[in-house]
Amino acid sequence: SYELTQPPSVSVSPGQTASITCSGDKLGEKYASWYQQKPGQSPVLVIHEDRKRPSGIPERFSGSNSGNTATLTISGTQAMDEADYYCQALGSSTVIFGGGTRLTVL
Amino acid sequence: QVQLRESGPGLVKPSETLSLTCTVSGDSIITYYWSWIRQPPGKGLEWVGYIPYSGSTNYNPSLEGRVTMSIDTSKNQFSLKLRSVTAADTAVYYCAREILYGNGCHFDSWGQGTLVTVSS
């Protein structure tokens, strides 16, 4: 079955750039999406179709996808960006989520 | 703007059936696909399945045989039934709108989630 692998945790200093990776076999041939989830809240879509930002998502969130890795990049990270982030793609006919990455803004 | 709200019992006994309903407002349920996603306490997200208005379902193979989804276009609702539950089915269950396309999909609107605990 298809799997997506994320690092369990990433740390970043305020104002710096955070990069969260998501790895899967030939992931670049699929579309990747990213969700932000803060404690006690529902996930929020921040990137879809590799690099598209939904309305209302700050420009500091960007995405890319090539080869076996999709990357979520947060430029000028703010304290409010501290959250869990999940990547997601479509397997053969099944929706797959990565295990999630806890982003800590130190 | 579309809004989704889950409803159903918060406690289910082992071996019984979990039943949840999602009420959609602000959009017609005859468009898009509608999904259930769950999250065990302290763990990650797991897709349960989707249903379009046509009723042609697609379920997570790991739950195949235990899950049934249905849709009621007259009430703008869709539902989830999960049979023979165990403690491993304890989770926050979210309903979400799924945008499905060529070789991808995403979930652009989510309900607030409802915690279902399986315990005697």
Side-chain angles (χ1 to χ4, degrees):
Chain A
S1 62
Y2 196 78
E3 293 184 358
L4 294 174
T5 302
Q6 299 180 235
S9 62
V10 168
S11 297
V12 64
S13 299
Q16 298 304 301
T17 297
S19 295
I20 300 173
T21 58
C22 175
S23 299
D25 184 47
K26 297 180 181 178
L27 180 56
E29 297 179 7
K30 308 175 186 292
Y31 279 120
S33 299
W34 291 90
Y35 303 85
Q36 175 193 69
Q37 186 179 33
K38 296 181 179 180
Q41 297 183 18
S42 303
V44 173
L45 178 70
V46 294
I47 293 289
H48 64 93
E49 295 171 79
D50 295 340
R51 59 182 67 249
K52 295 181 179 179
R53 271 181 299 105
S55 173
I57 300 302
E59 290 185 7
R60 64 180 180 274
F61 287 87
S62 64
S64 63
N65 186 15
S66 179
N68 294 322
T69 303
T71 303
L72 173 69
T73 302
I74 309 172
S75 304
T77 306
Q78 300 182 10
M80 68 172 65
D81 300 329
E82 187 163 283
D84 293 329
Y85 289 86
Y86 294 90
C87 63
Q88 171 258 309
L90 189 61
S92 56
S93 62
T94 303
V95 176
I96 306 296
F97 286 96
T101 298
R102 173 70 53 87
L103 177 67
T104 302
V105 183
L106 298 171
Chain B
Q1 182 176 348
V2 64
Q3 292 188 323
L4 300 93
R5 187 181 77 252
E6 305 89 351
S7 59
L11 181 64
V12 181
K13 290 182 169 55
S15 79
E16 295 192 346
T17 297
L18 177 159
S19 296
L20 295 174
T21 296
C22 182
T23 301
V24 179
S25 58
D27 190 14
S28 173
I29 205 166
I30 67 171
T31 55
Y32 304 111
Y33 288 69
W34 304 94
S35 284
W36 290 97
I37 296 160
R38 69 181 186 177
Q39 184 172 35
K43 296 188 178 180
L45 301 168
E46 180 184 31
W47 177 74
V48 175
Y50 74 56
I51 184 168
Y53 80 94
S54 65
S56 177
T57 54
N58 185 21
Y59 303 138
N60 189 323
S62 69
L63 300 172
E64 196 80 44
R66 292 201 297 135
V67 63
T68 302
M69 295 176 63
S70 59
I71 196 162
D72 187 337
T73 55
S74 67
K75 296 181 179 179
N76 235 38
Q77 294 177 335
F78 63 103
S79 299
L80 168 70
K81 289 188 185 299
L82 183 64
R83 296 177 291 279
S84 305
V85 297
T86 69
D89 295 310
T90 294
V92 174
Y93 285 76
Y94 297 99
C95 58
R97 185 172 73 176
E98 180 172 346
I99 311 299
L100 188 64
Y101 35 88
N103 56 342
C105 69
H106 62 267
F107 303 93
D108 67 342
S109 297
W110 297 63
Q112 83 281 2
T114 186
L115 174 63
V116 178
T117 302
V118 178
S119 176
S120 55

